[in-house]
Amino acid sequence: MSPPRPSSEPSPTRPLLLGRYDGTGRLRYTGRTVPHARTATAALAEALAPAVGEHPWTGRTFTAGWGSRDLLDVTLVDPQLVVDVARDGAGRWRHPVRLHRPRPDLTASDVPPLGARTTG
């Protein structure tokens, strides 16, 4: 099976693949969103930008779900967009998360590295 070919334009209607930088600066996959509400889709349409240059996930493939061999058709976007999400009650990323909104007031460097202990 060959890897999916990334689309050229971001689509705000498709689920987002989410990542967070770790302490070494590597972008790590953390989960995906469920399909978006109309208000979130409109906000994403303004916030998503195509990746420029080499993306940290270039050449990586993603499956449709645990145990699935179906590959997702992905569009790599600028990995600097920060979004608010709601995850499951256990605080884990076991299931797709719900997108609340893009956070244009934050940059990826404002988010604590993956694995860092936070308070509050």
Side-chain angles (χ1 to χ4, degrees), residues 32-102:
R32 77 182 83 217
T33 63
V34 296
H36 316 301
R38 259 182 237 206
T39 53
T41 297
L44 279 174
E46 293 179 21
L48 289 175
V52 177
E54 187 74 16
H55 188 282
W57 292 345
T58 297
R60 185 166 175 187
T61 58
F62 297 90
T63 59
W66 292 107
S68 173
R69 292 182 184 200
D70 295 332
L71 297 179
L72 294 176
D73 179 26
V74 300
T75 301
L76 299 176
V77 297
D78 181 2
Q80 300 305 308
L81 176 65
V82 176
V83 295
D84 279 338
V85 296
R87 54 190 179 187
D88 70 23
R92 300 215 166 108
W93 294 78
R94 296 182 301 200
H95 306 288
V97 298
R98 190 169 25 103
L99 175 75
H100 282 289
R101 64 186 171 123

